Amino acid sequence: MFEKEYDVIVVGGGHAGAEATAAAANMGSRTLLVTMNLQTIGQMSCNPAMGGIAKGQIVREIDALGGYSGIITDKSAIQFKMLNKSKGPAMWSPRAQNDRMRFAEEWRIALEGTPNADFYQEMVSGLLEENGKIVGVRTSLGIDIRAKAVVLTNGTFLNGLIHIGEKQFGGGRAGEKAATGITEQLVDFGFDSGRMKTGTPPRVDGRSLDYSKMIPQPGDAKPEKFSYLDTQKLTSQRDCHMTHTSALVHDLLREGFDRSPMFNGRIKSIGPRYCPSIEDKINRFADKDSHQIFVEPEGWNTVEVYVNGFSTSLPEDIQYKALKSVKGFEEVKFFRPGYAIEYDYFPPTQLRHTLETKLVDNLYFAGQINGTTGYEEAASQGLMAGINAHLKINEKEPFVLKRDEAYIGVLIDDLITKGTEEPYRMFTSRAEYRTLLRQDNADLRLTPKSHEIGLATKERMQKMEQKEAQSDKFIQFFRKTSFVPEEINPILESLDSSKVKQSDKLFKVFSRPRVSMDHMLQLESVSKFVDENDFNSEILEQAEIQVKYSGYIEKEKNNADKLHRLENVRIPENFDYSKLKSLSSEAREKLKTIKPVTISQASRISGVSPSDISVLLVFLGR
Ligand code: FAD
């Protein structure tokens, strides 16, 4: 059935696997996606939403690199919001509610339309390895399929164990089998593995809810979108709603605590701290007698509703009784109870920056298997693993993004350098250079790099070049053109900003904190220039950000340049740390395990102090 050797086999068709397949195939590798259920490609296991704070930036980066998540999100969106719009542009974060079924369907259509991508539905139960190198996979039917590289993206499926109250059963997601065999074999190869936990809320029948008792949460009046390509913006949207738990609801939930797998010791692994279950919130914040609940529709044509904020693994009777006491949920009918799931992961310090494992050549890990949580985190790793698998088997240079180039760079560097003991999700605070890593400029940052390695298409590149040229032209116009005081002073006066006495360049007045592009457009010279050049809203926004934040952007670029100097000091591959007696013993152990490739990476390892770095620098002759 599979006589020929594939270039790349991707195991698992979740967010990571779907992006890995698309990337490897689009770069020219003959790629096979083997997944347990072809109906659930790109399935959203938990909330029907993409993006959000820091995660939205990641989706924009995936899109800029030529991945599919942004396009799929736009095609299946039912609501769009730009979060943090009241803060500086570095914090603006796009988020979309999605039609869960359409999201998965669009993924399948996109992958089926990708030449070089083949599909096969079965569980992979083992890996084929020869002389420290991966050469293929073995399926549960005993079929061997050979490949030059394998990307594992098993998500929450490896020895997955689902908990609802005192009941527990094997599964990778509700209604789906767990995957077995792979963990045990990887441990035999010498990999460390661990267990993590995550949970999901009940899904309910929207027809049984009383929305008049809840607060509507509409999308943006002028919805934007994710992809830099010509996808459609939403012309109509579905509202979400907000309601709250109460002291009564908390008391009812507490009645089930003795049967809770979280509290009776059945669940031992660590869950996502920033996405706690409702029982965890009640326990940890005992003084709070109310928590927000967001009621999110699951799609355009379904009555199913996702109860965001009510993730729980309490017994189903307790879930039902407590939810019935939430305002608007008095007549609630359940579609599915909430549950928690424990699964195997592999500490990501066992990986290189390319996501290739250090132990077995040409074997890549991406997504939740690396201890992350979230679709966006998974998808971006899948994309990078797919790219790097293709590059490696074609003997090309690896594709690694630096911390000042992309959130994806921050994510992967954090994972492989620091590891993670709890499910890792991205936050803006994890990025040192967030003024550079904005959602508006992901194409300017990343599309040229991706085009160079043969992934981002010519169309993407041309769009990016046009945007860059137009915004540069506009910025030059602000630098060169002068205003007259009579024209600008009424605007400044209305803003309580001090008046100007003499003519000066537009750039200077536009840099003032309260002066926005809308104010600048009131000047005849500016509005005429915009009309003549047919600039769209994206160019206006880009120019505004680049003028108003030029000082911060410059400063961060300088800081990043300093970092690059350390980034250029490479540590030889099999460097013997035991001969450096002046290193602290903790630093020596960590450096031996993580094997950083540069001094800069070494400096980010927890337990490696500035004085350890000095010792290394002296030894390396710097
Ligand atoms: P998954 O989406 O899990 O996909 C794995 C794929 O691999 C599946 O298609 C599976 O069929 C396939 N597969 C696995 N093993 C094999 C095998 N051996 N052979 C063939 N195919 C295989 N994220 C959040 O950000 N917030 C949350 O609150 C949250 N809650 C969650 C709650 C639950 C119950 C679950 C299950 C997940 C939750 N997540 C949450 C996590 C989110 O779903 C994942 O981060 C994301 O889906 C990971 O993507 P992935 O591609 O790594 O894996």
Side-chain angles (χ1 to χ4, degrees):
M1 194 150 63
F2 294 103
E3 290 99 30
K4 275 206 220 136
E5 181 191 49
Y6 275 93
D7 292 323
V8 178
I9 290 177
V10 176
V11 179
H15 306 264
E19 285 290 2
T21 304
N26 280 328
M27 289 179 81
S29 278
R30 278 192 68 234
T31 307
L32 175 69
L33 170 62
V34 189
T35 191
M36 282 160 69
N37 185 350
L38 283 171
Q39 248 64 268
T40 58
I41 287 182
Q43 174 77 19
M44 299 176 123
S45 318
C46 196
N47 57 330
M50 284 293 276
I53 294 167
K55 289 164 170 270
Q57 283 86 327
I58 293 181
V59 179
R60 296 280 272 169
E61 289 178 357
I62 293 172
D63 186 71
L65 288 165
Y68 287 172
S69 291
I71 298 170
I72 306 282
T73 303
D74 289 343
K75 287 189 171 174
S76 59
I78 61 170
Q79 189 194 83
F80 183 94
K81 272 186 179 177
M82 185 66 81
L83 306 180
N84 278 340
K85 201 69 208 240
S86 60
K87 299 185 180 164
M91 303 302 283
W92 298 353
S93 305
R95 181 183 190 275
Q97 286 298 141
N98 289 85
D99 183 314
R100 187 190 301 279
M101 285 186 277
R102 276 197 65 187
F103 188 92
E105 187 189 3
E106 291 292 352
W107 251 121
R108 174 125 177 199
I109 293 170
L111 286 179
E112 285 186 4
T114 305
N116 289 328
D118 287 351
F119 306 91
Y120 183 59
Q121 173 174 304
E122 222 203 302
M123 183 175 95
V124 167
S125 55
L127 300 166
L128 309 177
E129 179 257 1
E130 287 167 8
N131 306 318
K133 189 173 169 190
I134 209 77
V135 293
V137 300
R138 174 162 298 157
T139 71
S140 54
L141 286 177
I143 302 170
D144 287 355
I145 316 174
R146 294 184 71 90
K148 295 183 184 127
V150 171
V151 183
L152 288 187
T153 70
N154 303 73
T156 52
F157 284 70
L158 294 177
N159 294 316
L161 184 65
I162 292 177
H163 298 262
I164 306 179
E166 288 165 312
K167 294 164 201 137
Q168 58 183 54
F169 47 92
R173 209 158 36 197
E176 293 179 63
K177 272 196 318 188
T180 50
I182 289 182
T183 304
E184 296 71 16
Q185 195 183 7
L186 288 172
V187 169
D188 281 349
F189 287 163
F191 284 93
D192 285 335
S193 76
R195 291 287 269 175
M196 279 186 177
K197 179 222 107 174
T198 187
T200 198
R203 317 293 203 267
V204 303
D205 187 334
R207 294 169 302 183
S208 65
L209 304 183
D210 184 351
Y211 290 104
S212 68
K213 294 181 180 167
M214 307 181 202
I215 308 158
Q217 305 283 307
D220 285 351
K222 281 191 192 158
E224 287 297 326
K225 62 191 186 77
F226 277 93
S227 181
Y228 291 100
L229 293 182
D230 288 332
T231 46
Q232 294 297 311
K233 289 182 185 169
L234 285 170
T235 48
S236 64
Q237 303 188 65
R238 283 200 71 176
D239 282 357
C240 296
H241 287 81
M242 187 169 68
T243 180
H244 292 89
T245 60
S246 62
L248 170 66
V249 175
H250 296 184
D251 285 344
L252 291 168
L253 288 166
R254 275 192 200 97
E255 281 177 19
F257 276 17
D258 58 333
R259 290 188 284 150
S260 155
M262 291 267 302
F263 301 135
N264 65 14
R266 269 174 204 255
I267 294 183
K268 294 187 185 67
S269 33
I270 303 173
R273 195 173 358 152
Y274 307 99
C275 219
S277 62
I278 186 70
E279 52 268 35
D280 213 8
K281 285 190 260 190
I282 296 175
N283 207 32
R284 274 204 270 159
F285 312 107
D287 52 325
K288 278 191 86 175
D289 54 17
S290 174
H291 293 284
Q292 287 177 336
I293 290 180
F294 291 95
V295 182
E296 302 178 346
E298 293 249 340
W300 289 115
N301 302 316
T302 174
V303 294
E304 191 165 356
V305 162
Y306 179 87
V307 190
N308 193 344
F310 206 81
S311 169
T312 179
S313 55
L314 285 166
E316 64 282 2
D317 56 313
I318 297 286
Q319 297 185 21
Y320 178 64
K321 224 164 113 184
L323 202 51
K324 265 177 94 70
S325 298
V326 171
K327 221 191 247 180
F329 279 70
E330 293 81 359
E331 303 299 327
V332 69
K333 287 185 187 164
F334 265 43
F335 268 22
R336 318 159 197 232
Y339 65 92
I341 182 164
E342 287 185 287
Y343 53 92
D344 297 335
Y345 82 105
F346 292 86
T349 46
Q350 304 174 97
L351 304 175
R352 303 173 195 277
H353 270 106
T354 53
L355 299 179
E356 185 184 18
T357 68
K358 290 174 187 167
L359 267 176
V360 179
D361 286 349
N362 296 16
L363 175 63
Y364 295 76
F365 290 174
Q368 195 111 354
I369 190 175
N370 287 337
T372 59
T373 176
Y375 312 135
E376 305 79 0
E377 289 83 348
S380 63
Q381 291 171 64
L383 175 75
M384 295 301 281
I387 290 175
N388 277 302
H390 169 86
L391 292 173
K392 170 102 193 263
I393 59 177
N394 288 286
E395 293 172 13
K396 301 231 171 90
E397 284 294 305
F399 185 66
V400 174
L401 295 170
K402 298 197 189 85
R403 295 182 75 89
D404 61 319
E405 288 174 337
Y407 271 95
I408 300 174
V410 174
L411 170 80
I412 294 177
D413 186 61
D414 275 354
L415 289 176
I416 68 152
T417 306
K418 298 181 184 148
T420 184
E421 315 254 282
E422 59 179 298
Y424 178 105
R425 66 158 287 185
M426 184 47 79
F427 295 106
T428 46
S429 58
R430 297 198 195 268
E432 301 85 341
Y433 306 108
R434 49 185 176 271
T435 311
L436 303 180
L437 308 185
R438 306 184 310 273
Q439 61 83 31
D440 59 275
N441 69 353
D443 54 345
L444 304 176
R445 289 185 272 126
L446 302 174
T447 299
K449 290 183 197 301
S450 178
H451 185 63
E452 205 180 309
I453 56 165
L455 180 57
T457 56
K458 203 168 158 193
E459 181 196 1
R460 262 187 199 283
M461 194 59 192
Q462 282 167 347
K463 279 187 175 299
M464 188 288 301
E465 282 169 347
Q466 193 189 15
K467 173 172 160 184
E468 189 171 50
Q470 289 189 330
S471 33
D472 283 354
K473 186 173 179 185
F474 202 8
I475 292 160
Q476 284 314 316
F477 168 80
F478 282 115
R479 286 195 191 282
K480 284 190 188 143
T481 315
S482 302
F483 59 79
V484 282
E486 299 76 52
E487 202 186 7
I488 197 80
N489 276 336
I491 297 173
L492 295 177
E493 233 175 333
S494 72
L495 296 171
D496 265 346
S497 189
S498 57
K499 288 201 277 184
V500 289
K501 293 199 177 69
Q502 59 200 41
S503 173
D504 205 339
K505 299 291 181 239
L506 286 169
F507 194 95
K508 198 157 173 205
V509 75
F510 194 10
S511 305
R512 289 196 186 189
R514 265 165 285 178
V515 181
S516 70
M517 180 61 89
D518 283 344
H519 299 122
M520 297 310 286
L521 287 170
Q522 291 172 27
L523 304 180
E524 204 188 320
S525 57
V526 180
S527 68
K528 196 164 152 234
F529 187 73
V530 169
D531 287 346
E532 277 169 7
N533 287 282
D534 204 15
F535 289 153
N536 61 25
S537 58
E538 195 184 0
I539 302 300
L540 300 190
E541 182 187 282
Q542 194 51 227
E544 177 164 18
I545 293 170
Q546 291 207 25
V547 171
K548 297 196 74 66
Y549 294 88
S550 58
Y552 299 104
I553 293 171
E554 214 39 54
K555 199 167 153 212
E556 276 200 1
K557 276 193 183 146
N558 290 338
N559 288 343
D561 286 345
K562 280 185 207 148
L563 177 91
H564 288 163
R565 273 175 239 145
L566 286 182
E567 206 67 69
N568 290 335
V569 186
R570 296 188 74 79
I571 304 175
E573 188 159 339
N574 287 318
F575 189 77
D576 182 6
Y577 291 98
S578 50
K579 65 186 175 199
L580 293 187
K581 301 286 177 235
S582 345
L583 285 176
S584 70
S585 49
E586 185 188 358
R588 191 175 307 114
E589 283 317 303
K590 291 264 178 73
L591 289 163
K592 271 190 200 168
T593 316
I594 293 169
K595 300 190 178 75
V597 283
T598 65
I599 288 285
S600 175
Q601 191 195 352
S603 71
R604 294 191 292 273
I605 299 173
S606 68
V608 176
S609 68
S611 65
D612 294 318
I613 293 298
S614 305
V615 172
L616 274 173
L617 279 171
V618 168
F619 189 84
L620 295 170
R622 301 296 179 119

